[in-house]
Amino acid sequence: MAFVRAASLADVDEGGLLGLEMEGHRVCLARLQGDEVYAFADNCTHRDFPLSAGELDLEECSVTCDWHGAQFDVKTGAALCLPATRAVATFPVKVEGGEILVDVAG
Ligand code: FES
């Protein structure tokens, strides 16, 4: 496990998404409320569209792809509806001192 700084908590609004590149991986951060942040691959498994361009649903804890509307559980990466059938990879996250740390190798 090697946690690396991804962003400051202040860089992501509550209910917001942030796409970034980390160690060769495209990563999407999803901030629910407070310091509850999740990280997953920033590419929809349907047609490789960036999920960071989509929309986060705080109640469902899901992200909706902006291209064809597939939804994924931001906590588990599970595909929740068609046209996506495969989960997105998720990465371990911790928040320390206002910084978001992600383990992209984890
Ligand atoms: S690329 Fe995401 S739903 Fe098609």
Side-chain angles (χ1 to χ4, degrees):
M1 289 260 187
F3 283 94
V4 174
R5 181 189 179 278
S8 294
L9 199 57
D11 294 334
V12 195
D13 293 332
E14 287 187 331
L17 299 164
L18 179 67
L20 42 85
E21 179 101 12
M22 292 183 68
E23 300 181 359
H25 297 270
R26 285 163 48 202
V27 175
C28 180
L29 301 177
R31 183 178 177 192
L32 300 184
Q33 291 176 321
D35 62 359
E36 189 176 7
V37 179
Y38 295 91
F40 45 87
D42 193 13
N43 46 322
C44 179
T45 56
H46 177 230
R47 290 273 175 84
D48 194 24
F49 194 73
L51 291 170
S52 56
E55 200 162 314
L56 183 61
D57 184 318
L58 287 174
E59 284 187 14
E60 301 287 330
C61 298
S62 66
V63 61
T64 300
C65 178
D66 202 38
W67 197 356
H68 309 105
Q71 292 179 317
F72 300 89
D73 185 314
V74 300
K75 296 182 180 180
T76 67
L80 301 176
C81 74
L82 295 173
T85 57
R86 289 177 294 119
V88 289
T90 58
F91 306 109
V93 177
K94 50 185 188 179
V95 177
E96 288 180 352
E99 301 293 314
I100 300 167
L101 309 174
V102 177
D103 179 1
V104 291

